[in-house]
Amino acid sequence: MSDIVEARARTVQGTVRGAVERGVAVFRGIPYAAAPVGARRFRAPEPPEPWEGVRDALTFGPTAPKRPYAPPLDRLLPDPAVEGEEWLNLNVWTPSTGAAGLPVLVWIHGGSLLHGSSAVPVYDGSAFARDGVVLVSVNYRLGVEGFGLFPDAPANRGLLDQLAALEWVRDNIAGFGGDPDRVTVAGESAGAVSIGALLATERAAGLFRRAVLQSGAPAALTPDAARGTTDLIARRLGVPATAAAFATVDPEALLTAQTEVTSGGNPLTGRNSFQLVVDGELLDRDPAEAPRPGSAAAGVDLLLGTNTEEYRLWFVPSGLTERIGRLKLRLALLKFRVPNTTARTYRANRPDATPGELLGALATDLLLRVPLNRLADARADAPASTYVYEFGWPTPVQRLGACHALELGFVFDTLAHPDTRALTGPDAPQELADAMHRAWVDFATAGDPGWPSWDASRPVRFFGPGAPALVLAPRDDELRGWEPYRKRD
């Protein structure tokens, strides 16, 4: 400890010792709930036990059980694993524990509810703390541990974990210089989907003032639609699809069965997966309807958006772009009931696109851009503001373009880290990171990222090559093409 400049903070459970790193006080691996093992496995999170003396918070805590991304994504999305049982932990970066009233941003990681953790280096919170925002990043239960659906266990346990983390922030963040009444919750991909659900549950009311949804739209399944993945894992293991039976299975065997059942697809083309569930208790309605006027969530400011070529993260490295020909494209359009006029519009706007690229553009908009635009449209008269962005800088790595997850290093201003460069390459524009990171800081601080809020002109801040630009109703002809699709839903 002699070479470490200490930082200390007091929590409800006891005092923690962190370290000052490049002028920022950092605390890692603080438990916000008890270890979800033994009798607590498959149960709602419970408060952690208090401790005597000072607890070290110098290294990242254990990560939830998971397997790495399958090749070739494992090289593009490094996903560290930390051994141990206290998975329900969080990290805090703060300008100073002696400060007061600082804005707080709570980060919920993505990873299809199967991967990821708060220890991913891209999510380093130093730049936010440098710029006056307390950054909190959280772990939560993944896969069947967090989202398997059982008759003898609460649904959405991973979402319950996130709520417990936000409640910890409410009760403790003042000791780290933060203001519990100035909390913004932010997430990407599955993290954004989770935030959509947090906006829909009454239990989250008052826990955050603002929310950021990056490349993820509010969504949840009915119990009948959601239990299929759990049932398939149970059959593979030869046990009943109950929490009691799953609790007797060796954790490694459970991970193996989970991986076998969920592998082989992606979030755009589909495959057995874990989803949030409209369980009638924590979630009693479709989260897509929650942040609209008249609901409590209508008073939460929103910042939301997508990347221009989300699909390329899954289609290009796997070779799917080349494997899709005209026949497969036609079959996919029939399967997803894409209107002919809509497909023609996309094709006319992309005269040089291959069938795989055309399908990717359609899938990106159908699953991400269209629902987020509809959400913004529905909130045009809400008391809180809505801001929309699009990230369009194309990475030179493996022809991935402006793909899913690429914006993360820009938001966190971590372009220099090797794990970020796995996706961005070594020459990503720092000036774009400066602009995007500043927008997130300003939104967390004052609720205004620096461009007009959503109205009938549909303003979108485009972060791409050159200076960020404001665009009104980008590719509106494509969005209008989905209106017949909505009428059939």
Side-chain angles (χ1 to χ4, degrees), residues 420-444:
T420 303
R421 292 184 172 188
L423 198 56
T424 65
D427 300 317
Q430 181 60 46
E431 62 273 17
L432 186 58
D434 293 342
M436 200 166 194
H437 174 72
R438 172 49 57 185
W440 266 239
V441 167
D442 289 348
F443 182 72

Side-chain angles (χ1 to χ4, degrees), residues 24-388:
V24 169
V26 186
F27 301 82
R28 297 181 174 92
I30 303 173
Y32 67 82
V37 297
R40 294 189 178 97
R41 196 174 180 196
F42 300 111
R43 286 169 51 176
E46 300 177 14
E49 293 293 328
W51 55 85
E52 298 292 333
V54 180
R55 177 180 177 129
D56 279 344
L58 300 170
T59 59
F60 287 113
T63 53
K66 59 183 177 174
R67 289 283 167 80
Y69 288 96
L73 289 184
D74 58 339
R75 296 190 297 276
L76 297 169
L77 302 173
D79 191 10
V82 181
E83 295 296 324
E85 295 183 339
E86 286 188 319
W87 317 324
L88 304 185
N89 60 74
L90 52 76
N91 318 298
V92 182
W93 285 261
T94 178
S96 172
T97 57
L102 295 174
V104 181
L105 190 146
V106 179
W107 178 253
I108 299 176
H109 68 81
S112 302
L113 303 180
L114 285 168
H115 305 285
S117 78
S118 64
V120 172
V122 178
Y123 306 148
D124 186 285
S126 298
F128 278 100
R130 175 199 68 199
D131 294 332
V133 176
V134 179
L135 191 286
V136 180
S137 59
V138 307
N139 285 345
Y140 55 94
R141 280 175 281 185
L142 302 172
V144 73
E145 298 278 356
F147 299 96
L149 188 59
F150 302 107
D152 54 340
N156 301 308
R157 292 175 300 282
L159 189 64
L160 288 169
D161 295 342
Q162 296 167 18
L163 280 163
L166 286 166
E167 290 165 351
W168 184 97
V169 169
R170 176 195 62 197
D171 298 338
N172 293 284
I173 205 63
F176 297 82
D179 184 346
D181 293 323
R182 297 180 69 194
V183 173
T184 298
V185 61
E188 183 263 351
S189 193
V193 176
S194 296
I195 291 170
L198 291 172
L199 288 163
T201 177
E202 294 182 5
R203 181 171 159 183
L207 292 177
F208 51 89
R209 181 184 295 187
R210 304 179 182 103
V212 183
L213 284 73
Q214 298 171 217
S215 302
L221 299 178
T222 66
D224 286 344
R227 64 172 48 96
T229 301
T230 306
D231 289 346
L232 288 171
I233 295 173
R235 284 182 216 153
R236 191 169 291 268
L237 292 169
V239 301
T242 65
F246 272 52
T248 66
V249 177
D250 175 75
E252 280 300 312
L254 182 53
L255 270 179
T256 297
Q258 172 181 290
T259 302
E260 291 171 348
V261 166
T262 58
S263 63
N266 65 63
L268 295 185
T269 60
R271 177 65 174 173
N272 301 314
S273 61
F274 292 101
Q275 307 287 342
L276 299 175
V277 182
V278 180
D279 60 354
E281 297 180 9
L282 184 65
L283 287 180
D284 60 2
R285 53 184 163 158
D286 183 348
E289 304 297 323
R292 298 173 185 270
S295 68
V300 175
D301 294 322
L302 295 188
L303 170 60
L304 48 88
T306 60
N307 298 353
T308 305
E309 299 172 297
E310 301 269 5
Y311 74 95
R312 295 187 77 86
L313 181 66
W314 300 289
F315 280 35
V316 174
S318 66
L320 186 59
T321 309
E322 288 73 26
R323 294 200 305 272
I324 295 174
R326 292 182 179 180
L327 178 58
K328 287 186 177 180
L329 172 61
R330 190 175 299 113
L331 292 174
L333 296 180
L334 290 172
K335 176 181 178 181
F336 292 107
R337 301 182 302 151
V338 177
N340 291 331
T341 55
T342 303
R344 284 197 294 270
T345 298
Y346 277 73
R347 189 177 291 109
N349 289 349
R350 297 163 179 79
D352 298 325
T354 66
E357 290 170 337
L358 186 60
L359 178 60
L362 286 158
T364 292
D365 283 6
L366 173 61
L367 297 178
L368 293 173
R369 185 165 168 259
V370 168
L372 287 176
N373 269 262
R374 287 178 179 170
L375 175 56
D377 285 341
R379 284 171 50 91
D381 297 323
S385 298
T386 303
Y387 300 89
V388 178

Side-chain angles (χ1 to χ4, degrees), residues 376-377 379-381 386 452-460 471-474 476:
D377 285 341
R379 284 171 50 91
D381 297 323
T386 303
S453 61
W454 194 258
D455 60 16
S457 68
R458 309 178 81 226
V460 177
V471 182
L472 298 181
D476 205 37

